[in-house]
Amino acid sequence: MDLSKIAVSINKAINTQEVAVKEKHARTCILGTHHEKGAHTFWAAVNRLPLSSNAVLCWKFCHVFHKLLRDGHPNVIKDSMRNKADLADMSRMWGHLSEGYGKLCSIYLKLLITKMEFHIKNPRFPGNLQMSNRQLDEAGENDVNNFFQLTVEMFDYLECELNLFLGVFNSLDMSRSVSVTAAGQCRLAPLIQVILDCSHLYDYTVKLLFKLHSCLPADTLQGHRDRFQEQFKKLKSLFYRSSNLQYFKRLIQIPQLPENPPNFLRASALSEHISPVVVIPAESSSPESEHVVETEDLVDTDVPSLPAPPEVKFDDLFGTSAAIDPFNFNSQNGMRKDDKDRLIEQLTREIQALKEELESFRLESGRLCQALRGRVNELEAELAEQSHLRLQAAGESEFLKAELDDLRRAREDTEKEQRSLTEIERKAQANEQRYTKLKEKYTELVQSHADLLRKNAEVTRQMTVARAAQDEVEAVRREMQEKVKSAQEAADRQEREQVKQLQELQRELVSTQTDLDSLKTIMASSQQSSSEVLGTQLVALESEKAELVQTLSKVEAELAVQGEELQRVQSSLATERESGVKTAEALQNQLNEKESREQALESQLVAARWSSLQGAVGEAKRIIQDSLSQIDDPAHISCTSSADYLASRCQASLDSMERLQSAREAFLADNTAVLELVRVVTQCGHLVGDTIVQGSATSHMVPVEQADALSESVKTCGSEALALLGQMKQQDRLAAADCSKLRAALEAILTTAEKLRPRGLELQQGELGDLVEQEMAATSAAVESAAARIEEMLNKSRAIDTGIKMEVNERILASCTELMQAIKELILSSKDLQRDIVESGRGAASMKEFYAKNSRWTEGLISASKAVGWGATVMVDAADMVVQGKGKFEELMVCSHEIAASTAQLVAASKVKADKDSANLHRLQQASRGVTQATAAVVASTKSGKSQIEDTETMDFSSMTLTQIKRQEMDAQVLVLELETRLQKERERLGELRKKHYELAGVAEGWGEEEEGTG
């Protein structure tokens, strides 16, 4: 099937037109889910639709989605769970509207969310809820607790279906024929799916309630019966109203529920129960293909129509009446019809009426025959289907038998693996806690080491930069000297050349002057000979003289320029000399500054090393001080430990003292070895602190004299450890620090722990047996006292309370009395079984020697007996407070669960050494089942009483204004958020308490010693 065709059908089925969804588009969507084995294409198309902005669009989406959940592929439910949060938000958004499709969309979305959650919790139920009785029994796994919870979930599921049913009917105007309009059919169409769901849920609820009444007391199920009565009345009324609507008559045959609900207190009433069957005729047209029902279908055909006017036989024979026939002589003569004519007319009318009645009977019989033929065809199809299902069930039965054998073998293997896995997880948890502590300390040490390495790298880099700067200064100095020397040489050469040029010019000037004088002489001597020649020569000489004067002026100008350039070069040379000297001085200052900074960083590095050591010493002191403060804390009194574990902690502390001595000597020899000393100091502080805490916890488990001695030794160890760390924190006293006193204190604790080790084999051979008897007797006395108190409270409640409160108190106290009787029977059975165990396993030894030999088992019996007695006392106190109206019902339920857990512990401790074929073991197991049933009765009666009490507190908002209601709504939302936050925190706190209880129980039962023994 093409995915694009599926997407087109989805968009055609879910649109904004207020008409019913067409069946062909819905069928295409369903086939598409089977084709792709999921609902990915459906949700990809739906997520693009504006469901939050159009109520009609959202209503039709809900209708199509409901069809997919019922008839689509089973993976549709799983694929849709990821959109559960969006559907819940959309439901809350539409819930703000009080009328129209908005309110209906909110109810419908809540129903769909409930349906998905139900099928996820109960995967055995298919989407269309069609199951056989055998499959229904398998869904509860033959466990009454599962059937109890399944019934509650079905009640919630059916409640959502009924809310949608009522919401749709309340939104319609029943005074008009709304079922024949397109808008009415749009609202009524989804109710076909609701009717199909309700018929199955009602049938399964009746069968489960009969099954529960066969296993549990009637009082325990009072709440279930009350809720069923209420839903039965609603469902019967809605089925009746639906069957009268014209829209449903041709589409679906709605069953009618019996006049009275089943009597669950009479077991034979189950045979009278008839499962309601909803039939959808195959030949009926779909509700979507017919937009409006024709008007003539609305006419009630059961009411006979008025008879037509009788025909007049006279007119048939002789023409019309006298009114229009002018030749009617009888009328003209004033004659009347005789009696015979009147008799003929009367008989004619009767014959016509009989014909019409016969025709109506014929039509009615035809309709009945057609309906009966359809019913026969349906029954034949159902019979064929039942035959097919029977054959299929027979094949499945053979297959399931083989599968059951495989599952039994697999379960046995799984239980073995589970036990080994539990043991491995317990050991892994203890190792993980130890590893976490070591990892935290190792992380701190690595961090401090990394900081020191970064500081050392920074100092090294700065020293390298300083050396590079010094080399650069030297190179610049040499370069400047070479430049100054070359500039001086160039200036000297230029000066010599200029002097040479000046001398040459002077010589040329002198020679020119001499030539001029000679020419003057020659001119004077030859003046007389020829004036023209002289004049010519004079002009030439004058011109030559002018040229020489010009040349001289040029040479003088060049000399002036060369002199200025020489002065400029000399001034620049002087300036460069001064700047070179200044630069050399600045570089020398920087070099000196780098050297001083390097020395300062070296001193800072030494100070950082010492400060890291001081920080480690200070952290170790705080750890030991915290350990000393814990042993003085009153809450620490409940903490216990074993002598074996204390001895192991003392030995680890002594080993760390040896490493501390070695690390301190290495640090004194070379202060760069601070990392090892920091690590050892921190580890030593943790181990000594742990030794102090474990020593104090061990003192709570030993006699008073030994406990006082051990407490003094622990405090002395803490004082010596603080004194040693105080010496190590001072730099001048680090070398003189003495570890011998602390080592002596640890050895004293180790000696005391070694003395306390054989407490179960030597010191208490005679005490454990007596202690078991004492604890069992004390538990029996506590249960007897609790039963007497409950009887006293019951009499007092009957004398004081009345009405519902008296009924609730009597029911709760009666269930508590039954629980106490069951516990008493359990304790007696446990005593008999223990007597058999001792008699069969002690041999020639005495009973006390047998208890001492099996000290772990004996301590388990003692712990379980204490828990049972304590739980009975606490439950009586809680019941007393509930009867007085000062307590909470939840406390009573929690106490019941605690008693069930304590009795389970007592049963497990009692039968661990028993023979599996022992008669007393069988009695103990029967008594344990009795305690479990009595506990369930207490919880059920408590829940029922709580619901009855809460039902009496009605909420009346009739006198409140809109503003007050809005304010109350905001306060309620704030309270809901606060309670959710508090619930989350309390759950986290409960988890931590359970972890701590597990650890303390492990210490009390010696699990740590078993780990060390196995290691």
Side-chain angles (χ1 to χ4, degrees), residues 447-465 467 597-609 670-675:
Q447 185 66 28
S448 62
H449 182 251
D451 295 338
L452 293 175
L453 290 178
R454 282 195 294 271
K455 292 181 181 178
N456 190 13
E458 182 67 22
V459 171
T460 304
R461 187 181 63 78
Q462 291 179 356
M463 291 176 63
T464 304
V465 171
R467 291 193 184 94
R597 188 181 301 171
E598 182 179 355
Q599 294 176 358
L601 289 174
E602 184 67 27
S603 61
Q604 289 179 3
L605 181 59
V606 174
R609 291 170 181 168
D670 183 10
N671 61 1
T672 59
V674 68
L675 182 61

Side-chain angles (χ1 to χ4, degrees), residues 384-451:
E385 182 180 2
Q386 292 296 331
S387 301
H388 176 69
L389 290 177
R390 182 176 58 80
L391 296 176
Q392 184 178 2
E396 289 180 355
S397 176
E398 295 297 331
F399 174 78
L400 290 176
K401 286 180 181 178
E403 187 176 2
L404 181 60
D405 295 335
D406 296 337
L407 289 176
R408 286 175 179 171
R409 290 191 294 270
R411 185 181 64 179
E412 292 175 357
D413 297 337
T414 304
E415 288 176 353
K416 294 179 182 178
E417 293 176 357
Q418 186 68 26
R419 287 194 293 270
S420 60
L421 180 61
T422 304
E423 183 68 19
I424 293 172
E425 287 178 350
R426 182 174 61 81
K427 293 181 179 180
Q429 187 177 8
N431 293 331
E432 185 178 359
Q433 292 176 355
R434 295 175 185 172
Y435 171 74
T436 302
K437 294 180 181 178
L438 293 176
K439 184 178 179 181
E440 292 175 355
K441 292 306 165 185
Y442 176 76
T443 304
E444 295 177 0
L445 293 175
V446 170
Q447 185 66 28
S448 62
H449 182 251
D451 295 338

Side-chain angles (χ1 to χ4, degrees), residues 976-990:
V976 167
L977 293 176
E978 291 177 352
L979 292 177
E980 289 177 351
T981 304
R982 184 178 176 187
L983 176 61
Q984 183 65 26
K985 291 181 179 178
E986 290 298 328
R987 283 178 175 168
E988 294 175 356
R989 181 170 177 268
L990 177 59

Side-chain angles (χ1 to χ4, degrees), residues 342-384:
R342 285 195 296 274
L343 182 59
I344 292 173
E345 290 176 359
Q346 181 180 357
L347 293 174
T348 303
R349 287 194 298 269
E350 290 178 358
I351 291 171
Q352 185 65 25
L354 290 174
K355 286 183 179 180
E356 291 174 355
E357 187 176 358
L358 180 61
E359 182 67 20
S360 64
F361 285 159
R362 187 180 61 80
L363 294 175
E364 183 67 22
S365 63
R367 283 196 298 270
L368 291 176
C369 290
Q370 185 178 1
L372 290 175
R373 290 193 194 97
R375 182 59 178 170
V376 168
N377 294 332
E378 292 169 1
L379 292 176
E380 288 177 351
E382 185 177 358
L383 180 60

Side-chain angles (χ1 to χ4, degrees), residues 60 470 560 875 900 981:
K60 299 181 77 173
Q470 186 176 3
M875 193 194 75
T981 304

Side-chain angles (χ1 to χ4, degrees), residues 931-957:
V931 171
T932 304
Q933 294 179 358
T935 304
V938 172
V939 174
S941 60
T942 305
K943 288 183 179 179
S944 176
K946 180 182 177 183
S947 62
Q948 284 185 339
I949 297 280
E950 291 177 351
D951 289 343
T952 58
E953 300 175 359
T954 58
M955 294 180 290
D956 186 12
F957 303 126

